Amino acid sequence: MGNHSSNRAERFRRLTGGWEADADGRRHLPPALLSGDEQYQAEQFALIAGPYMGANYRKDNTYTWLPNHLMDGVEQVSPRSFLSALGKAVSEARGKYAGHEYAIHHEGIRRGVQTASETRVREVGEDMPWVRLAVDPLAGRQVPIDQEAVLELWQEVSLTDTLLKEAERYETQDEDTLVRTGPRHPDDPSRLIEELITLGVMRRRRDNRIDLPDVYRIAFNIGRKGGVPRVAG
């Protein structure tokens, strides 16, 4: 908002204060508080989206709720996912909550997480098709889920055979030009789970059950009691 080429951006910088042009004058650098103080960031975000994900303090804070639900299994948030979620939240506010006191409605943030999940799953499906093949059999189930249940679902759909066939498609005869887009151990389901955990698609809970972060779980149509629902239709 501070660097958009519009009069509104200039007004935003005046209202918030502390912005400085960089050396070549092409960008405006945010004040130190805005870039490095979480409490101040939370206060500013609350001015945009309100403080809570509901009517009062009994609901989570908007500032922490969004990144927590966009975080993958290794606690990383893709900037693209974050911006995608906020963009959808703004669109929802304009269309359904135009009279809301804040620029963003908390229900729009929830819908934004659903949209970000769709985008993330589509991206991972393009970059690593095997991930989609591995997670799709869990559709309709709930997490957390026992590892043995995951292995049984994979066995039912003959995942190992499918992954081995896919590997033949992508691997060339020349080892020097080998491009790997599949898992390292397609014939070992237990190690396959560990690879998905390393990628951040899955995570292991303390009780050893397997979980999926919301940014993947929602678009893969996997449930969680009390969690953000998948996109209807």
Side-chain angles (χ1 to χ4, degrees):
M1 289 188 292
N3 278 284
H4 193 268
S5 56
S6 68
N7 292 333
R8 291 180 179 178
E10 184 180 351
R11 183 166 177 263
F12 174 76
R13 292 194 298 271
R14 278 202 316 271
L15 289 172
T16 52
W19 292 77
E20 295 181 0
D22 64 6
D24 58 12
R26 294 181 180 180
R27 295 178 61 249
H28 293 86
L29 306 177
L33 274 176
L34 191 58
S35 60
D37 188 295
E38 288 191 6
Q39 180 58 40
Y40 186 74
Q41 290 173 357
E43 293 170 358
Q44 299 308 303
F45 195 75
L47 295 176
I48 299 171
Y52 308 117
M53 289 296 296
N56 53 48
Y57 67 91
R58 292 185 178 87
K59 300 295 183 179
D60 292 333
N61 293 324
T62 53
Y63 174 73
T64 54
W65 192 94
L66 182 57
N68 284 346
H69 286 76
L70 293 176
M71 194 179 294
D72 66 14
V74 290
E75 300 186 346
Q76 297 294 312
V77 177
S78 160
R80 181 178 295 180
S81 295
F82 186 79
L83 293 174
S84 172
L86 280 181
K88 181 61 178 179
V90 170
S91 175
E92 288 284 299
R94 286 174 175 167
K96 297 181 180 178
Y97 307 102
H100 188 54
E101 61 180 310
Y102 297 104
I104 294 176
H105 193 280
H106 55 84
E107 289 299 333
I109 294 177
R110 287 192 174 88
R111 185 65 181 86
V113 168
Q114 294 173 326
T115 298
S117 177
E118 292 175 327
T119 300
R120 188 71 194 101
V121 166
R122 183 170 58 252
E123 289 173 347
V124 78
E126 294 170 353
D127 296 341
M128 293 175 286
W130 72 269
V131 171
R132 178 146 215 149
L133 292 172
V135 182
D136 272 344
L138 277 63
R141 306 286 173 155
Q142 263 199 338
V143 289
I145 184 172
D146 290 335
Q147 177 166 323
E148 285 305 313
V150 175
L151 298 180
E152 288 175 8
L153 289 169
W154 285 351
Q155 187 173 11
E156 289 175 7
V157 298
S158 302
L159 179 64
T160 296
D161 293 341
T162 301
L163 292 179
L164 289 172
K165 289 177 182 177
E166 286 294 305
E168 292 175 1
R169 290 178 53 201
Y170 289 109
E171 292 185 1
T172 66
Q173 296 298 319
D174 184 357
E175 290 294 325
D176 293 333
T177 59
L178 176 64
V179 177
R180 179 178 295 281
T181 59
R184 295 183 179 278
H185 307 285
D187 56 347
D188 189 333
S190 294
R191 295 173 80 175
L192 191 66
I193 286 179
E194 295 305 319
E195 189 164 352
L196 288 167
I197 290 172
T198 299
L199 290 172
V201 177
M202 289 181 171
R203 57 189 171 204
R204 190 181 299 281
R205 295 170 69 101
R206 292 182 179 179
D207 61 7
N208 216 38
R209 288 185 297 171
I210 302 300
D211 201 356
L212 268 80
D214 282 350
V215 74
Y216 290 109
R217 176 190 65 79
I218 295 169
F220 273 121
N221 192 23
I222 300 169
R224 175 184 287 119
K225 187 176 181 179
V228 179
R230 71 177 295 271
V231 181

